[in-house]
Amino acid sequence: MPHDPHAEFDHKVLDQIEHSRVGAVPRTPLYQDALGRLRASHQIYAHADHHEGFVTVRSLAMRPCFHASNLDALRAGTIDETALESNASIFSRYVAALPPALHAKAETFRLLVASRPAHHRKHDGVIAHDPVHTLFLVPGAGPNPGIPGNYLHGSVLQLTADPASGWALHLHDSDDGAALCEVPTQSAALEKLDETIASAPFHLSELVALGFRLK
């Protein structure tokens, strides 16, 4: 295997980023070249909480993922979709896991991240159920940094309330970066969710390998 002449220095830069309170390194050309290599190889992302700082993928790998705590019961058929842990509760667990200094900033994303899409349907005497929409959060980044704590936020959702409806997974960074994967059934959606969570942390562009398309 050819020796990478930059490997030792790049490893040193990763260490410096992790030991810096704000994920910063010197702004010299040597360090900037290393940052370029590390970003291109998806070993670091722009830091969500420190402007011009970075966060390493290996440090994000230590962080928890969040999803409905009773998904296994849904898979087993012991609950139905209406009993899934609420998006608000999932989001609250994410906030609680962050350092206290980030709680206020994270709460500014609650409406964007944890709210359900509005569905307007005529009521003609038939009980109408909203399509399933359940939140998940994983460490990572996209074209833009993640939300506080360096998290991507996503949802598993039923496309319509029709039981035969298709399903989708959406993932977003803190701004306009997004990835989408459509699947035919709830079972396939939950399998794709498991695969996505198992692959975290990641950059949104890496999800193409899992069958997502970038938006």
Side-chain angles (χ1 to χ4, degrees):
M1 180 184 297
H3 173 66
D4 180 356
H6 303 297
E8 184 175 351
F9 185 73
D10 289 357
H11 184 81
K12 174 185 175 182
V13 173
L14 289 172
D15 288 342
Q16 286 186 261
I17 290 171
E18 290 178 353
H19 286 91
S20 166
R21 185 180 62 83
V22 296
V25 297
R27 297 193 178 199
T28 63
L30 188 64
Y31 278 92
Q32 296 306 304
D33 287 347
L35 292 177
R37 292 189 297 271
L38 293 170
R39 294 191 78 168
S41 61
H42 299 304
Q43 294 186 68
I44 61 171
Y45 306 139
H47 207 300
D49 307 314
H50 301 291
H51 181 59
E52 297 186 351
F54 296 90
V55 60
T56 69
V57 168
R58 67 189 189 188
S59 66
L60 292 184
M62 307 294 291
R63 300 190 183 177
C65 299
F66 300 91
H67 58 74
S69 59
N70 53 353
L71 276 179
D72 286 343
L74 178 66
R75 288 188 179 95
T78 56
I79 64 169
D80 64 19
E81 295 90 342
T82 61
L84 279 172
E85 181 183 9
S86 70
N87 290 347
S89 175
I90 298 166
F91 189 84
S92 292
R93 289 195 288 110
Y94 147 73
V95 173
L98 297 173
L102 296 180
H103 287 185
K105 183 179 178 183
E107 284 292 349
T108 67
F109 287 89
R110 180 179 286 272
L111 183 61
L112 171 69
V113 173
S115 61
R116 292 171 58 96
H119 296 278
H120 302 285
R121 296 187 302 280
K122 293 181 180 179
H123 296 279
D124 54 3
V126 177
I127 297 175
H129 297 283
D130 282 336
V132 178
H133 180 279
T134 186
L135 174 68
F136 67 97
L137 301 104
V138 295
N144 312 289
I147 62 173
N150 299 286
Y151 276 84
L152 298 167
H153 61 96
S155 55
V156 179
L157 63 148
Q158 190 179 14
L159 297 179
T160 74
D162 185 334
S165 168
W167 290 68
L169 282 79
H170 292 182
L171 265 169
H172 304 268
D173 60 23
S174 61
D175 197 348
D176 58 358
L180 166 67
C181 181
E182 295 183 355
V183 294
T185 64
Q186 180 190 96
S187 176
L190 295 179
E191 287 180 7
K192 182 61 67 174
L193 174 61
D194 289 343
E195 183 181 28
T196 302
I197 289 174
S199 301
F202 47 72
H203 189 278
L204 284 177
S205 62
E206 295 179 278
L207 290 178
V208 172
L210 298 185
F212 284 76
R213 58 182 173 85
L214 303 181
K215 295 179 66 178

